[in-house]
């Protein structure tokens, strides 16, 4: 309970003494005063912080401000958090000084020359404390008042009271120091003038700290850009080694730093020589440290024996290399945990945070518990998980065992307040976290996407069409604001209390990465290869000179060359990604090595009878297996690095790889020495030449890759009418390899690039022993579990899909289960951040469990880094021609395919709304022409039917509709490229929306139909014009009302669609965005046939079912024209034939003159006198008036109002005429006059009073 000093008023609290702070501040004060500096005027060999004079709050504040504030650094203002971290760290360090005999001033004085060492060593300790406690991220406005804003004593007193842990005597607000001002008395109740109040208010505002305001993503990102990086500091670490024999004593010290010359700044030559004579080597080159030495040092810090007890060198991951860089990172984490400082690491994905923490805990013998945080986690989930760990820690009692709790990607879920409480305050729901639980948190950087794109914008193909001029972007089809859209990593802002403790993890240097790569290659590839010894070789030339060198084993030679090739690929990828080091990480290396090994085993199982080599030959790189080894090297590099790049960048990567190989080869021509190996330099170069048999050249690299893709994919039964083009070949190859190796893969490409088709073919063809050929029978069966993603996806839905796959896997252990995430990019826009759950799943996927994600754009780096990814570039004209050639049967049509491809390519790149038309329009055009020619051949009985202008015109109008203002240009492009004359009369006749819609509905092979309209006018028109009839049509309405979005309502709507599919009843969807994800395969026309009956998959969340579908079933989607142009996603648009159907499109030809007269009437009615020319047409009249004036004159006026009025009045006139005149017909002129009068009467009813 608090102790009050002015009872019974109880307005002043006695602050408990913070003895640790006073102890540290006395040490620093004594150091600054020169008490430890031998030879100085204030030197005192007997000085002791415990017996030093009392220190005041003002002195404490001054001491800590000098140590923990940097006027031009990230911490310009005092911060209690920084003060507290410094005190907690240095308190333990200073206590160690008294425990280490060789830092005893009396002993040092006896040694003579070493008396300066104590001062120098404490100086290094203080630098270490500053490095551990100072902020890395700059303070924001509102954190910490300026020093001049308040009395230092009050700040210190308040801070001390807030952090005190025990009651006792000491500092208090009542009487802590004579210099402290007395507390202010109560203000007398006097009347104050408004001027006085204003002045006092302004003075108070001037002294008050800035108000904390919400920061935008750009402002936050700018702060993190100024963050001190790991490489920008020397990171000095003073280490006190604990005695492993027990007793808690210190039996050694050491100093490490990233900078080799750092210690030399503090220890001069004379002192260093003296220390070396005493066995202290502070100039050691830590870059030459072995793994054993690093492990011994880390365990020595904890007082653990180097090679006994839990943990140790044997607990390290195979292939993990300890360098000075990651040793210092381990020490930074280890000492923070040891002294109970918050540990919060920020680093790019794939930089090695998780593996370093895992290995640190392993070698220290500490149990690691990792919580992979994701966007779907709630506070309850975190508290429940944490309570289990607290109970486990309490059961350990007073034992020396520790639990390390690791919150990975802590800023991906919206529970930052709870994490701040656990990590920084070490409490949860009012419960203190036990001391034997050490907490580490890792987070992703807060960075904005750059404008530069590796794919030139193609990876964002059709993400969303935004309204022009809007400030905030909206998600596809949801209207949900997405504040994280501009971020590289979709993460939440950290609380300021956590930002205080963040330190940058940095990234691997090129040399360190090379060590890791070589170690991984030796470990993974050495399984079948017994360790060989290097072979000494002697050679004598023609002059009798003998040269000797050591020849490497073929295995070591391959390891060295493969390391250089992988390093070259890694650096090339980073260069192409504008220097982004996280674009290529050790995860890519691990996949590359695993795939190389798999190819060796695969080629061994499928080798021809005449091939005489085994796995020992392959991994031993024997001569008889080198052809296959070369093939595996090329394929593994292509799989991990080549497939992710666009076309031109792929060429650059191949060149980088082949140049790296060339740099390792011998130069047979040595200047003027002539041909051959004639000199010492030649032999030296020959000794450095590596794997000449690889023969890596750009042309041969691509040739091996393409030949292998063709060889493997040609075994698939792709079906009739499907061309095995470049896109499908690469998609099949990459997905197949990924599925068989349980490596997650994201396939990125525009709609129509055969992504879904490739995954479907993999599942159809891989049926285990029931497959079609020997190659496929040698592969396991594959079962996919699709999940249709959307902007409304949740974490629970994705987790259910994975759980369903695992249940199936337990029942069928020989089957590879694949979770297929369709349109996974849409789920990234969900406010629930459901894809964060993928981080754990992708990292922990087991054998025979694969993940395939299909998207139209790249995901954030945290996900892409955890999977291999295939980027499908836009197809070339040649590839389009090849694809079309596989789709058609008519030999007469094949001559036109190249011209059709050129025409489509021109239209695609020149369209006003990018990706409104896509590859599906081209494929559907080719398919429509092919079907028309087949029908003509059947009708004529002749095989010589050629493509005529009428057939081409009909196919283009059908498949390139939806944009009437661009239609003429599109038609001209196709006819010009094919060299055909445009039949203008037929064009005017065929270009009728009603006839095009009827053609679509009557053709079973056509795509489903989307009608673009205004105010849902198309819904009434399709029935009024008898395009559809009510008996064979089901209309499903949706809305944004909550009850229409429930799972129950969606299930009921899906059931209605299912019944209509079986009966062949047309379904009309209006405002049914919530249904689209369930009808993905239906709208994509992914039908399968069994026993003559067609089936299609309907999905809801993780559940899907094959349902029968009638051959004449059709879906008609009615959308607002403005939504189709500005909001709907191209992946949805490209699945439909699109036509604009408004009331003006169904006005009869004989009513067009009436429409013109009504338009002129409205313009003249609205305009001022003389504004409209008497001989002017309706277009110039409308331009002179303007839409705004028309809406003012006629209530609710819009572009389709007059057409609607004519249609309504025509129907009314016909009814009235039949009713009163017994069907008497009127001539066109009389009818027009009657309708004109009726329409004007109606317009006057809605006309505004112009005089009002």
């Amino acid at each position: 309970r608090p102790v009050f000093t002015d009872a019974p008023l109880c307005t002043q609290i006695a602050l408990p003494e913070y003895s640790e702070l006073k102890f540290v501040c006395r040490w620093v004060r004594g150091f600054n005063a020169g008490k430890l500096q031998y030879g100085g005027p204030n030197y005192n060999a007997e000085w002791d912080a415990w017996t030093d004079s009392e220190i005041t709050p003002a002195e404490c504040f001054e001491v800590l401000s000098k140590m923990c504030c940097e006027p031009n650094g990230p911490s310009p203002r005092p911060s209690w958090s920084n003060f507290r971290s410094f005190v907690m760290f240095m308190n333990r360090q200073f206590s160690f000084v008294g425990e280490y005999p060789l830092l005893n001033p009396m002993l040092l004085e006896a040694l003579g020359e070493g008396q300066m060492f104590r001062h120098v060593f404490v100086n290094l300790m203080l630098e270490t404390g500053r490095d551990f406690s100072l902020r890395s991220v700059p303070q924001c406005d509102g954190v910490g008042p300026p020093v001049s804003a308040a009395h230092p004593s009050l700040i210190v007193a308040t801070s001390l009271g807030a952090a005190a842990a025990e009651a006792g005597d000491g500092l208090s607000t009542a009487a802590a120091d004579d210099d402290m001002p007395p507390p202010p008395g109560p203000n007398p109740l006097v009347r104050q003038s408004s001027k006085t109040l204003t002045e006092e208010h302004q003075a108070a505002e001037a002294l008050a700290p800035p108000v904390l305001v919400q920061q935008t993503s750009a402002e936050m990102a700018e702060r993190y850009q100024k963050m001190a990086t790991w490489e920008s500091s020397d990171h000095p670490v003073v280490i006190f080694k604990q005695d492993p024999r027990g007793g808690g004593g210190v039996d050694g010290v050491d100093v490490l730093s990233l900078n080799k010359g750092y210690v030399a700044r503090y220890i001069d030559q004379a002192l260093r020589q003296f220390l070396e004579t005493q066995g202290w080597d502070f100039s050691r080159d830590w870059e030459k440290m072995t793994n054993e030495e690093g492990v011994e040092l880390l365990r020595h810090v904890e007082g653990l024996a180097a090679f006994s007890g839990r943990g140790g060198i044997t607990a390290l991951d195979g292939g993990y290399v300890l360098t000075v860089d990651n040793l210092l990172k381990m020490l930074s984490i280890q000492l923070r945990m040891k002294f109970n400082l918050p540990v919060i690491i920020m680093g790019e994905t794939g930089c090695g945070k998780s593996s370093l923490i895992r290995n640190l805990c392993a070698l220290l013998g500490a149990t690691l518990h990792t919580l992979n945080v994701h966007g779907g986690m709630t506070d309850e989930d975190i508290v429940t998980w944490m309570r289990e760990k607290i109970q486990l820690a309490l059961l350990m009692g007073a034992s020396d065992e520790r639990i390390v709790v690791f919150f990975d990607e802590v800023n991906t879920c919206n529970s930052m307040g709870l994490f701040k409480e656990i990590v920084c305050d070490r409490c949860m729901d009012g419960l203190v976290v036990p001391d034997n639980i050490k907490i580490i948190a890792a987070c992703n950087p807060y960075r904005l996407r750059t404008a530069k794109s590796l794919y030139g914008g193609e990876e964002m193909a059709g993400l969303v069409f935004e309204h022009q001029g809007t400030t905030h972007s909206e998600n596809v089809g949801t209207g949900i604001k997405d504040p994280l859209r501009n971020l590289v990593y979709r993460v939440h802002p950290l609380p300021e209390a956590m930002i205080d403790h963040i330190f940058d993890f940095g990234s691997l240097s090129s040399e360190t990465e090379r060590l890791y790569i070589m170690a991984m290659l030796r470990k993974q590839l050495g399984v079948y290869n017994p360790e060989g010894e290097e072979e000494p070789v002697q050679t004598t030339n023609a002059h009798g000179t003998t040269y000797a060198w050591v020849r490497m084993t073929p295995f070591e030679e391959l390891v060295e060359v493969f390391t250089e090739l992988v390093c070259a690929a890694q650096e090339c990828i980073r260069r192409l990604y504008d220097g982004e080091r996280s674009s290529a990480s050790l995860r890519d290396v691990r996949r590359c090595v695993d795939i190389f090994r798999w190819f060796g085993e695969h080629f061994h199982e499928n080798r021809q009878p005449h091939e005489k080599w085994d796995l020992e030959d392959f991994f031993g790189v024997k001569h008889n297996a080198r052809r296959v080894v070369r093939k595996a090297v090329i394929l593994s590099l292509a799989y991990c690095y080549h497939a992710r790049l666009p076309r031109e960048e792929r060429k650059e990567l191949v060149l980088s790889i082949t140049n790296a190989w060339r740099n390792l080869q011998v130069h047979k021509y040595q200047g003027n020495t002539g041909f051959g190996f004639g000199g010492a330099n030649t032999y030296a170069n020959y000794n450095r030449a590596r794997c000449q048999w690889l023969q890596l050249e750009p042309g041969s690299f691509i040739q091996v890759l393409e030949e292998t893709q063709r060889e493997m994919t040609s075994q698939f039964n792709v079906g009739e009418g499907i061309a095995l083009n470049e896109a499908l070949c690469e998609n099949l190859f990459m997905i197949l390899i990924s599925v068989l190796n349980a490596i997650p893969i994201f396939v990125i490409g525009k709609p129509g690039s055969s992504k879904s088709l490739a995954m479907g073919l993999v599942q159809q063809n891989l049926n285990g022993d029931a497959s079609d050929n020997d190659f496929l029978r040698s592969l396991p069966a594959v079962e996919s579990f699709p999940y249709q993603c959307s902007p409304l996806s949740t974490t629970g839905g994705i987790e259910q899909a994975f759980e369903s796959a695992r249940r199936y896997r337990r029942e069928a252990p020989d089957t590879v289960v694949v979770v297929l995430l369709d349109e996974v990019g849409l789920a990234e826009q969900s406010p629930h951040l459901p894809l964060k759950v993928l981080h754990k799943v992708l990292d922990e996927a087991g054998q025979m469990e694969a993940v395939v994600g299909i998207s139209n754009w790249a995901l954030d780096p945290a996900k892409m880094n955890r999977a291999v990814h295939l980027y499908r570039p836009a197809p070339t004209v040649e590839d389009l021609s090849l694809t079309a050639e596989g789709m058609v049967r008519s030999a007469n049509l094949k001559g036109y395919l190249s011209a059709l491809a050129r025409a489509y390519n021109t239209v695609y790149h020149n369209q006003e709304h990018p990706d409104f038309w896509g590859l599906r329009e081209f494929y559907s055009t080719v398919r429509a022409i092919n079907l028309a020619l087949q029908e003509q051949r059947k009708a004529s009985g002749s095989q010589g039917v050629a493509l005529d202008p009428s057939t081409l015109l009909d196919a283009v109008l059908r498949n390139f509709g939806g944009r009437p203002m661009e239609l003429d240009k599109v038609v001209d492009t196709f006819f010009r490229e094919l060299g055909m004359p445009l039949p203008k009369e037929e064009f005017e006749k065929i270009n009728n929306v009603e006839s095009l819609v009827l053609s679509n509905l009557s053709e079973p092979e056509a795509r489903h139909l989307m009608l673009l309209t205004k105010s849902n006018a198309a819904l009434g028109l399709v029935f009024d014009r008898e395009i559809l009839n009510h008996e064979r049509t089901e209309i499903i309405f949706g809305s944004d009302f909550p009850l229409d979005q429930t799972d129950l309502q969606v299930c009921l709507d899906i059931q209605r669609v299912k019944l209509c599919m079986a009966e062949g009843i047309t379904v009309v969807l209006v405002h049914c965005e919530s249904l689209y994800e369930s009808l993905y395969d239906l709208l994509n026309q992914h039908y399968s046939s069994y026993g003559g009956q067609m089936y299609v998959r309907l999905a809801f969340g993780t559940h899907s079912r094959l349902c029968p579908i009638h051959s004449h079933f059709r879906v008609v989607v009615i959308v607002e024209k403005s939504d189709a142009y500005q909001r709907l996603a191209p992946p949805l648009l490209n699945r439909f034939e699109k036509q604009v159907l408004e009331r003006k499109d169904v006005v009869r030809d004989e009513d067009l003159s009436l429409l013109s007269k009504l338009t002129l009437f409205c313009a003249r009615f609205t305009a001022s006198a003389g504004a409209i020319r008497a001989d002017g047409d309706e277009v110039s009249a409308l331009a002179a008036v303007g839409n705004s004036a028309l809406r003012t004159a006629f209530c609710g006026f819009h572009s389709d109002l007059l057409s609607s009025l004519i249609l309504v009045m025509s129907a009314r006139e016909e009814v009235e005429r039949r009713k009163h005149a017994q069907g008497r017909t009127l001539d066109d002129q009389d009818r027009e006059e009657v309708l004109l009068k009726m329409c004007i009467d109606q317009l006057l009813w809605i006309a505004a009073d112009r005089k009002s």
Side-chain angles (χ1 to χ4, degrees), residues 350-397:
C351 65
K353 302 186 295 292
S354 301
S355 61
L356 182 139
I357 291 168
R358 184 176 62 251
N359 282 285
L360 173 62
C361 293
L363 64 88
L364 293 179
T367 305
L368 177 65
H369 297 271
T370 302
L371 178 63
N372 292 286
V373 183
H374 56 78
M377 276 191 173
T378 62
D379 287 3
E380 184 180 356
D381 298 330
I382 299 163
V383 169
T384 301
W385 186 87
M386 192 65 189
R387 277 181 179 153
E388 295 175 359
K389 307 304 171 284
I390 291 176
Q391 290 298 322
L392 185 61
L394 293 174
L395 291 174
M396 292 179 177

Side-chain angles (χ1 to χ4, degrees), residues 814-886:
D814 295 330
T815 300
V816 177
V817 293
V818 181
V819 176
L820 173 62
L821 301 174
D822 243 332
E823 298 296 345
V824 64
L826 293 178
E828 195 175 38
Q829 302 166 46
S830 170
H832 309 293
L833 300 183
L835 295 187
K836 292 298 181 183
V837 73
L838 286 183
H839 297 185
K840 176 183 179 182
V841 175
L842 299 180
D843 286 337
E844 298 179 359
Q847 291 295 322
M848 310 292 281
E849 296 178 8
V851 181
V852 177
I854 294 175
S855 178
N856 298 106
W857 55 86
L859 308 181
D860 76 39
K863 300 175 191 66
M864 301 299 285
N865 190 269
R866 286 173 162 82
V868 69
H869 53 286
L870 163 63
Y871 171 71
R872 277 306 318 150
T876 62
V877 172
E878 293 75 15
D879 201 41
L880 287 172
S881 303
L882 177 63
T883 304
E885 188 173 340

